[in-house]
Amino acid sequence: VYTFGAPRLGDGAFAQALGQLVTVMRVTHANDPVVAIPWVKDNFTHAGVEVYYAGVTSLGSKVCYGEDTSCSLGNADKFADNLFRCSYRDYKELCGHFQYMNDAKEGLMMSTSCDDERRLEVGDLD
């Protein structure tokens, strides 16, 4: 199973059980706030192997095992800044959650293939 920018899903027992069922490869980006939640201090943990990008994909990745501060866990102190970047349209190009595969995404249901009548804006979910 490959995930891109996934949050922590459960505790250590869950992560271990999932790892026995399937191989999990987590792709993460330095400025992605989603990979930082829920918090480690609340006993949540990521499952599988992390493939971490500190910048654009052309610069390469680093492989980490478990909650490693040399990968995405090392950016936990930047959570508020990263969340801000992802929350405002003017900063989307700086949001790590929209940078996977080097293509900036517009957000939920914002594809150019959607016509205006069917387009769902992020704020419409509130």
Side-chain angles (χ1 to χ4, degrees), residues 16-38:
Q16 185 177 13
L18 183 62
Q20 291 174 349
L21 294 173
V22 295
T23 299
V24 179
M25 300 292 292
R26 299 183 307 106
V27 180
T28 63
H29 190 279
N31 298 323
D32 186 351
V34 176
V35 301
I37 56 174

Side-chain angles (χ1 to χ4, degrees), residues 16 29 32 38 41 52 73 81 91 101 119:
Q16 185 177 13
H29 190 279
D32 186 351
K41 68 179 180 68
Y52 172 74
L73 184 60
D81 289 338
Y91 296 98
M101 309 311 253
R119 187 172 290 169

Side-chain angles (χ1 to χ4, degrees), residues 52-112:
Y52 172 74
Y53 289 90
V56 295
T57 56
S58 62
L59 296 177
S61 63
K62 176 179 178 149
V63 175
C64 292
Y65 301 89
E67 296 286 351
D68 188 332
T69 57
S70 69
C71 282
S72 64
L73 184 60
N75 296 311
D77 61 333
K78 299 175 186 164
F79 176 77
D81 289 338
N82 290 336
L83 185 62
F84 175 80
R85 288 183 187 111
C86 294
S87 299
Y88 292 95
R89 186 174 301 275
D90 293 343
Y91 296 98
K92 292 285 188 191
E93 70 277 359
L94 302 174
C95 173
H97 196 68
F98 296 107
Q99 299 300 318
Y100 292 99
M101 309 311 253
N102 255 5
D103 294 325
K105 310 295 184 285
E106 287 295 321
L108 183 64
M109 298 296 289
M110 294 295 289
S111 169
T112 56

Side-chain angles (χ1 to χ4, degrees), residues 31-52:
N31 298 323
D32 186 351
V34 176
V35 301
I37 56 174
W39 313 116
V40 172
K41 68 179 180 68
D42 294 330
N43 294 321
F44 283 88
T45 188
H46 283 294
V49 176
E50 179 177 10
V51 180
Y52 172 74

